[in-house]
Amino acid sequence: MSQHQNENRNETIIGSFIMMVVITGFAGGIIWGFIAQAAYFFNFLDISPKFILTSWNGAKWVYGWLGVVISVLLLSLFSIVAALIYYALMRRIKSVIGGVIYGLLLWAITMIVFPPVFPDMPVLSKMNNITIITGICIYIVYGVFIGYSISFEYSERERIKEVDASE
């Protein structure tokens, strides 16, 4: 393979990898947003993902199923950013521990940053233990989902590059 073809192939691989990261982030936001809504429905969480909309909009539709769907879509946009940050900072970590740490870090940031910005989200001191534990668990599993997906794909692509370089 010529050097020009190899450079084009590497650019395509990197571009498609970023797209995979975006899709992983979006899918993680959808999946774990609806899981959080289910946890709220079954009273494991005191706060619904709808807090994003209810904090700023008092319209009737916000409190129904449409509010849930739009809130989860907004969470998915946040999740894309979170996945890109993981890609930039932690993609080389091959252990599940990286995802666990990332999930805990995201939970802590959410508990510090979101309450002042979203008035419908209670501060940590006002949440009950079940909400805190469930939230931590959801964030950990979300972090593992994002982290392991990105790290696994990164490792596979690096392995393929090594195989191509040795040929």
Side-chain angles (χ1 to χ4, degrees):
M1 216 187 281
S2 75
Q3 183 174 350
H4 180 68
Q5 287 174 327
N6 198 18
E7 287 174 7
N8 285 342
R9 182 169 181 215
N10 285 342
E11 288 174 15
T12 302
I13 287 171
I14 291 169
S16 66
F17 187 44
I18 295 293
M19 183 55 68
M20 189 280 308
V21 169
V22 168
I23 291 169
T24 300
F26 185 77
I30 295 279
I31 293 166
W32 300 108
F34 280 118
I35 287 175
Q37 181 60 36
Y40 171 76
F41 179 78
F42 289 112
N43 296 318
F44 287 107
L45 290 174
D46 286 341
I47 184 164
S48 166
K50 292 187 288 188
F51 76 89
I52 292 175
L53 293 176
T54 59
S55 294
W56 302 99
N57 189 343
K60 196 175 186 179
W61 65 269
V62 171
Y63 297 96
W65 66 270
L66 185 58
V68 172
V69 171
I70 292 175
S71 295
V72 169
L73 288 174
L74 288 172
L75 285 174
S76 293
L77 296 178
F78 289 134
S79 180
I80 290 170
V81 173
L84 289 169
I85 291 170
Y86 188 93
Y87 166 75
L89 301 177
M90 301 174 72
R91 69 179 174 259
R92 289 183 174 88
I93 297 174
K94 294 181 180 179
S95 171
V96 173
I97 295 297
V100 170
I101 292 169
Y102 193 63
L104 288 170
L105 183 66
L106 286 175
W107 179 83
I109 290 170
T110 301
M111 293 299 118
I112 294 167
V113 174
F114 278 14
V117 178
F118 298 100
D120 278 0
M121 183 175 176
V123 293
L124 187 60
S125 62
K126 303 267 187 206
M127 293 182 186
N128 66 33
N129 290 339
I130 294 173
T131 295
I132 293 170
I133 292 168
T134 302
I136 288 172
C137 291
I138 288 173
Y139 271 88
I140 286 173
V141 178
Y142 167 79
V144 169
F145 175 81
I146 294 294
Y148 198 76
S149 298
I150 292 170
S151 295
F152 178 79
E153 188 67 25
Y154 178 77
S155 296
E156 285 298 303
R157 288 173 190 249
E158 288 299 307
R159 189 183 60 77
I160 289 170
K161 282 182 191 177
E162 288 174 10
V163 169
D164 286 349
S166 67
E167 290 179 352

